[in-house]
Amino acid sequence: MNETAITAYKDPKLPPPVDLPEGPEWVGVLKVFDAHVAETLVAAAHTLYPHQTLPERVYRRTVVAFDALAARMPAVAQGFAEFVDLVDGAMPVPFRELSESYRVNTLKGIEATPAFRLVQRSTVRFLYDDLEVWQAFGYEGAAVQLGGYVDRGFNDLDWLPEPPPGI
Amino acid sequence: MMTSYDLDDAGVVVIVGSGAGGGTLAHELAKRGVEVVLLEAGKHLTPDDFVNDEWGGYEMLSWLDKRTASGTWRAAKDHPFSPSWSCQVVGGTTTHWSACCYRFIEDELRAKTVYGDIAGASLIDWPITLDELNPYYDLAEAKMGVTRTNGLPGLPANNNFKVMHAGAKALGLNVSTGRHAINSIPYDGRPATIQDGFTITGDKTGSRWSTLNVEIPRALATGKLELRPQSRVVQVEHDEAGKASAVVYVDAAGVTHRQKARAVVLAGNCVETSRLLLHSKSARFPDGLANGWGHVGRHYLRHIIQTVWSIFDKPVHMHRGEIMAGMIDDYVRHDPARGFAGGYYIEMNSMGLPTTAAFLEPGWWGRDFVSVIEQYRNMAGIFMSGEDMPQPGNRITLTDELDAFGVPVANIHYDDHPNDLKLRVHGYKTLSAIHAAAGAKRSIEAPSYPASHNLGSNRMAAKAEDGVLDGHGRAWEVPNLFIADGSTFATGGACNPTLTIVALAIRQADFMAERMAAGEL
Ligand SMILES: Cc1cc2nc3c(=O)[nH]c(=O)nc-3n(C[C@H](O)[C@H](O)[C@H](O)COP(=O)(O)OP(=O)(O)OC[C@H]3O[C@@H](n4cnc5c(N)ncnc54)[C@H](O)[C@@H]3O)c2cc1C
């Protein structure tokens, strides 16, 4: 991969990322979801956005964010529960135990449902808002606390001709 | 201490909404000695509250109340409950905007005459000419500190611009960093940009003009303005003579008040202003205030806005620096040879990873999406804003569902006109060709995001039967009711609207102050 050294920052005013235990006990932080719901949603997030270079914990943090939403909004909690029922009902094997092609087909089969939409949109919302994902894909995040980019590379692209001054 | 006015003081001008139109008008009236109460639904934040965070800023500033959408536009599918994008905060959407500032051209103000009859389109000419508007554009550019006016240098070229520039030059297009109400050098007590790339989450350093950081503090300093944040207007009332007499609003504690008024100005951004008028029904105005000709809410416009995101072999880091500092004007003029009416500006766009992922193609998932977004660091963005056709059926209406304040939720209906689709196709091809000429490996044609340029739904017209307002933004049917936001536009033109909203507000202040001095308002 084309690595340039960058460091990603969250705005210092925002809460720091959640620190999850590495083992299956990570589900202990959840307020609404049980372990099966949580692991099924992790599997779904992974199937929707299968980044080979990202560790499992970023998908778990995404589901922790779903859980926080569900805790605030009962209708959303209901939507996640419906999603798990839908994907688990599609095959004789629970969704989280399916092979990848079956998971993909299962998700394709429910694309038109509100429950799918909720999970897909929520995954985009939270997965790509994760500091570790920013770091991996080259997005530096908050900059004002470092004086912006005026002296830190806002115009450092050097593989195209330099535009004339004042253009 | 801020000046305060009595609820029963019927000598004040009440302005609803403190964004581009309302915030500017409040200052311009206060400067002219007029007593003003400014009611704003949102909170009064300071730069310290703002964050450098895309979703954090969005959630802090945006108008998040539910709306619904129908019609063929992508927003109805992709953003069915938030089809339009604006803010609910003191300063309105000027706390959020990226500050491109272009003027309408003469042809655009005479759209009906120049474009001719277009089936399905409800084009009219503006009731004012460019000559009448130009002096106010001059004043607006000076107060906003627009680059490349008043001796101010343009913004410097950033990484994303270098890509746009290379492609544009290869195709022989006229490219520059454009014009912005963002300081390239210190101006008017505000610093030069530090290129943090976060104008759209509030702009912590204040290098970009907003009504929050320029107009409102100065209006307060005159001693003529009372600003009441967290005041949600729910109705405009009129007296027996059919003149606007008061507005009803709900404060932060949920208490309802009635502020009397000498004149009422609505500046709630298109959707909210039309919604308020439609909701302010009475025996005399059974279809809503100022709606005798049935135009309130109709001819809604939102510009042909779209972005192409492209992947290159090497890093771009598009998030570094001012996000829209690039402009190509080759396609602005109406040219029938292109096969459609109206034109478009090509501008730059950059987003952070969170919103790039969200807006690239909502609904897209799987390995192909992943292969694109993983190359975020090598991505560049290019954008366009073009003229859409007014259509009477593209409109804001009230639904049966009530919001927390008892006001019906608005629906926005928008069907793409064939002319809009032709312009879209032409635009996508041009944007992709520019990136291809700079070496793009792959380009993605992203659909429009929620409408950020909301215009036209209470339009001005030379004749009462063609619109809601006269050329001064005054309701044809209610002589002391004005509108100061983007909904007044007779047609949309191609350029980003805010400079024109500000110029029109200054002109309106002149008119109102004159009428008041003459004892006619
Ligand atoms: C992401 C983004 C980028 C943009 N970039 C540009 C750009 O580069 N150039 C450009 O020209 N334009 C840009 N715009 C558009 C620009 O922000 C708007 O055109 C402009 O702010 C509209 O001004 P307005 O006065 O109509 O409304 P606003 O600025 O939206 O102000 C309306 C205010 O009214 C208040 N209000 C509404 N209803 C009520 C009520 N019932 N009671 C009390 N208060 C109420 C709202 O809370 C709000 O504060 C951008 C917009 C977005 C979303």
Side-chain angles (χ1 to χ4, degrees), chain B residues 105 107-108 114-115 173 328-346 384-387 418-419 421-427 429-430 494:
Chain B
I105 59 173
D107 280 359
E108 291 173 324
V114 175
Y115 306 165
L173 299 172
I328 294 169
D329 61 7
D330 294 78
Y331 303 101
V332 171
R333 294 196 168 276
H334 170 69
D335 175 4
R338 291 199 291 257
F340 56 84
Y344 60 95
Y345 282 77
I346 298 172
M384 61 181 270
S385 174
E387 178 159 10
N419 196 79
L421 296 172
K422 288 182 196 165
L423 198 150
R424 267 191 199 283
V425 171
H426 194 277
K429 285 186 187 162
T430 312

Side-chain angles (χ1 to χ4, degrees), chain A residues 1-6 9-11 13-14 47-53 100 103-105 107-108 111 116-117 120-121 124-126 128-130 133-145 147-164 166-167, chain B residues 48-56 59 77-80 148 155-159 161-163 165-166 169 175-178 193-198 204-205 312-317 319-321 351-354 357-358 362-367 369-370 373-378 438:
Chain A
M1 240 173 123
N2 184 356
E3 286 296 342
T4 19
I6 64 115
Y9 299 91
K10 269 274 172 189
D11 190 285
K13 287 178 68 100
L14 295 172
T47 310
L48 288 166
Y49 298 102
H51 293 287
Q52 234 122 31
T53 56
E100 193 195 353
R103 285 187 193 174
V104 169
N105 286 339
L107 293 177
K108 279 190 182 149
E111 256 186 311
F116 174 86
R117 186 190 172 98
Q120 185 258 328
R121 296 300 173 89
V124 174
R125 164 68 180 81
F126 296 109
Y128 299 105
D129 203 19
D130 187 283
V133 179
W134 294 1
Q135 179 70 41
F137 301 155
Y139 175 55
E140 293 160 288
V144 68
Q145 76 285 6
Y149 296 104
V150 67
D151 299 318
R152 294 191 314 126
F154 84 101
N155 61 356
D156 65 355
L157 185 154
D158 60 3
W159 48 269
L160 284 169
E162 201 57 33
I167 181 140
Chain B
D48 201 42
D49 295 310
F50 298 145
V51 288
N52 261 205
D53 188 83
E54 291 191 305
W55 286 124
E59 281 157 14
K77 173 167 163 255
D78 294 339
H79 313 286
R148 297 197 156 90
L155 287 168
N158 64 22
N159 292 336
F161 178 77
K162 289 186 189 181
V163 175
H165 173 259
K169 280 291 160 197
V175 61
S176 75
T177 60
T193 171
I194 61 165
Q195 304 282 356
D196 68 5
F198 279 96
K204 283 182 87 75
T205 64
F312 293 82
D313 282 325
K314 300 211 173 104
V316 176
H317 293 137
H319 58 274
R320 295 182 183 170
M351 288 185 177
L353 183 68
W364 188 11
W365 59 277
R367 293 201 175 266
F369 177 89
V370 158
I373 203 71
E374 283 182 351
Q375 300 184 71
Y376 174 82
R377 66 167 62 70
N378 295 4

Side-chain angles (χ1 to χ4, degrees), chain B residues 16-22 39-42 63 85-94 96-101 200 231-234 267-270 272 276 324 452-453 484-486 496-499 501:
Chain B
V16 181
S18 63
L39 299 173
E40 166 55 53
W63 187 282
W85 187 358
S86 64
C87 291
Q88 183 179 130
V89 67
V90 172
T93 318
T94 69
H96 190 64
W97 74 316
S98 35
C100 294
C101 282
I200 71 156
S231 300
R232 171 76 75 108
V233 175
V234 294
N269 198 324
C270 218
E272 291 312 309
L276 266 178
M324 295 192 81
S452 53
H453 297 175
D485 59 26
N496 320 56
T498 307
L499 179 70
I501 295 174

